[in-house]
C-alpha cells in the first residue's frame, strides 16, 4: 500500500512555530513588566511596576550614575547642581534639596524620582503618589551599594557591577603611579568654609588613604565634620586641598600662616570643574583619585601653583 504525503505538515510546522513565538513574546513581555522592589537609604521598601522610562534626578552623583549606565535619555528633569554630562544641562532644572519646584516636577510625569535622603520634598512627593527612591552615598562602600541599586532600578545590574570594578581598578592605578616621596604626606581636605573637612570615614578620605596619604581628621569625627580652625593649626598638615571657591583668604586665617602647607605653599586649589569631580561620590571617583594623586605628586616636589583664572563658576558641587 502506497503511503500518501501528509499535506498538513507545513500547516503543523507553522502552527508550532507560531505557538513558540507567542510563548517567547509572552515570556519577554512578562520579564519587562516584572516589578522591581528595593530598599532605599531611608530603609523604605519601594516597588516600581517596571523599569522606569521617565526619571527625575535631584542629586548630581545620581544623575551622573544614570548617565554612565547609558540611560541619560530617560532623565527628564534634574536639580540645579547637576551639570555633567553636558547633555543634562539642557533639561528642566527643578531647584535644590530645599527649594524643589513640586509643580514643575509633577508636570514631568516621572516614573520615579531619585534624590538624597536629606531632601525636604520626599514626603510631599510621596503624598502626591510619586515613586521616590532616596540614596545618599558618603563612603566608597556606599557608592558601590548605590551603583547596585541604580543598576537594579534600570535593569542593568551587570553593567553596574562592571562600572564599580572599573572605578576601583582606576583608583588602584592612580595609587600605583605615586612615587615613594608622595606617600605618607599629612593632608587636610576642606570641603566647605566652615571649615568642614573630609574625614577618614568619607569617600574622599578613603581615596586619600588608598593613595597613601595621612588624613589629619580621624574617623571618629565622622565623614564631613565641622572643625575648630585651631584643630587644623595644631594638626599642621603638609598638604591642603581646597576648592577655588573657599581658597581665597585661606593663608590669612588667624594662625594658619604657621601651618606647614601654608608656609611651603603646598596648597592644591581645585578649579570648579575639578571640585565637582572631587566632591561627588559617583562614577567619576576614579578621576577624583587621579586629581588627588597629581596634587600629592606636585606637593612632593615643591610649591604648588594656584589657578591663575579668577573664580567664576555656575552652580555646582556636592549637593
Amino acid at each position: 500500500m502506497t503511503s500518501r504525503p501528509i499535506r498538513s505538515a507545513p500547516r503543523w510546522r507553522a502552527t508550532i512555530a507560531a505557538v513558540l513565538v507567542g510563548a517567547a513574546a509572552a515570556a519577554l513581555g512578562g520579564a519587562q513588566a516584572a516589578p522591581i522592589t528595593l530598599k532605599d537609604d531611608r530603609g523604605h521598601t519601594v516597588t516600581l511596576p517596571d523599569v522606569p522610562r521617565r526619571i527625575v534626578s535631584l542629586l548630581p552623583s545620581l544623575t551622573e550614575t544614570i548617565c554612565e549606565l547609558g540611560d541619560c535619555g530617560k532623565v527628564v528633569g534634574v536639580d540645579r547642581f547637576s551639570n555633567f554630562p553636558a547633555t543634562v544641562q539642557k533639561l528642566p532644572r527643578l531647584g535644590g534639596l530645599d527649594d524643589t519646584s513640586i509643580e514643575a516636577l509633577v508636570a514631568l510625569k516621572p516614573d520615579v524620582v531619585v534624590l538624597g535622603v536629606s531632601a525636604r520634598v520626599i514626603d510631599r512627593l510621596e503624598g502626591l503618589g510619586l515613586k521616590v527612591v532616596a540614596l545618599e552615598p558618603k563612603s566608597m562602600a556606599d557608592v558601590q551599594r548605590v551603583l547596585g541599586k541604580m543598576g537594579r532600578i534600570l535593569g542593568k545590574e551587570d553593567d553596574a557591577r562592571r562600572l564599580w570594578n572599573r572605578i576601583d581598578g582606576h583608583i588602584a592605578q592612580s595609587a600605583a603611579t605615586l612615587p615613594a616621596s608622595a606617600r605618607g604626606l599629612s593632608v587636610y581636605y576642606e570641603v566647605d568654609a566652615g571649615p568642614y573637612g573630609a574625614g577618614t570615614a568619607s569617600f574622599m578620605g578613603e581615596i586619600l588613604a588608598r593613595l597613601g596619604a595621612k588624613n589629619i581628621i580621624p574617623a571618629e569625627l565622622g565623614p564631613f565634620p565641622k572643625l575648630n580652625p585651631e584643630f587644623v593649626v595644631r594638626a599642621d598638615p603638609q598638604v591642603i586641598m581646597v576648592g577655588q571657591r573657599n581658597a581665597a583668604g585661606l593663608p590669612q586665617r588667624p594662625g594658619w600662616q604657621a601651618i606647614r602647607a601654608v608656609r611651603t605653599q603646598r596648597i592644591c586649589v581645585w578649579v570648579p570643574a575639578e571640585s565637582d569631580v572631587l566632591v561627588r561620590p559617583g562614577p567619576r571617583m576614579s578621576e577624583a583619585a587621579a586629581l588627588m594623586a597629581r596634587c600629592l605628586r606636585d606637593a612632593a616636589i615643591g610649591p604648588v601653583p594656584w589657578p591663575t583664572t579668577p573664580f567664576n563658576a555656575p552652580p555646582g558641587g556636592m549637593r
Side-chain angles (χ1 to χ4, degrees), residues 243-246 270-272 309-314:
Q244 194 177 9
R245 184 190 303 270
N246 300 318
W270 312 120
V271 297
T309 55
F311 178 79
N312 181 18

Side-chain angles (χ1 to χ4, degrees), residues 43-319:
H44 289 206
T45 298
V46 182
T47 299
L48 305 175
D50 198 355
V51 173
R53 294 176 175 81
R54 297 178 64 81
I55 304 171
V56 165
S57 174
L58 299 180
L59 199 66
S61 59
L62 298 180
T63 304
E64 293 182 17
T65 297
I66 295 167
C67 289
E68 190 65 26
L69 289 173
D71 277 345
C72 223
K74 292 183 176 181
V75 181
V76 295
V78 295
D79 63 290
R80 71 163 60 89
F81 302 107
S82 289
N83 55 10
F84 185 88
T87 52
V88 305
Q89 297 177 22
K90 301 176 183 178
L91 295 172
R93 298 196 170 274
L94 304 170
L97 291 175
D98 300 327
D99 61 351
T100 303
S101 173
I102 303 293
E103 184 177 352
L105 190 156
V106 172
L108 294 173
K109 299 180 179 179
D111 298 319
V112 66
V113 180
V114 294
L115 39 58
V117 173
S118 55
R120 295 183 179 180
V121 295
I122 293 177
D123 291 342
R124 291 185 63 190
L125 294 177
E126 289 182 328
L128 292 169
L130 294 176
K131 296 290 186 179
V132 177
V133 176
L135 301 169
E136 194 150 343
K138 294 181 180 179
S139 67
M140 291 183 69
D142 290 340
V143 173
Q144 183 179 12
R145 174 179 50 74
V146 167
L147 279 174
K149 289 185 184 293
M150 286 305 309
R152 178 165 177 74
I153 291 170
L154 299 172
K156 295 187 171 185
E157 291 177 274
D158 289 342
D159 291 339
R161 280 190 288 269
R162 284 191 289 268
L163 174 56
W164 170 253
N165 290 336
R166 187 167 75 246
I167 293 168
D168 192 54
H170 287 171
I171 293 174
Q173 289 174 14
S174 290
T177 65
L178 283 174
S181 59
R183 295 178 174 275
L185 297 173
S186 59
V187 177
Y188 165 58
Y189 193 123
E190 183 167 296
V191 295
D192 204 358
Y196 290 88
T200 306
S202 69
F203 68 94
M204 299 171 194
E206 290 174 326
I207 292 174
L208 283 172
R210 289 187 61 174
L211 296 176
K214 296 179 181 178
N215 195 327
I216 67 167
I217 304 173
E220 55 265 27
L221 293 185
F224 300 107
K226 184 174 183 179
L227 302 169
N228 184 324
E230 285 295 322
F231 172 89
V232 183
V233 175
R234 289 194 303 271
D236 193 22
Q238 295 169 282
V239 180
I240 292 176
M241 301 181 182
V242 62
Q244 194 177 9
R245 184 190 303 270
N246 300 318
L250 183 147
Q252 288 76 45
R253 294 177 186 176
W256 283 47
Q257 296 87 347
I259 296 174
R260 281 179 292 176
V262 177
R263 289 201 322 266
T264 60
Q265 300 177 42
R266 286 171 167 82
I267 303 175
C268 295
V269 179
W270 312 120
V271 297
E274 293 172 334
S275 286
D276 285 349
V277 171
L278 285 152
V279 301
R280 293 178 182 174
R284 292 197 287 169
M285 281 201 314
S286 54
E287 295 178 45
L291 288 169
M292 291 185 194
R294 184 193 72 190
C295 168
L296 295 171
R297 193 179 299 111
D298 291 347
I301 297 172
V304 181
W306 282 41
T308 56
T309 55
F311 178 79
N312 181 18
M318 65 189 300
R319 298 177 179 83

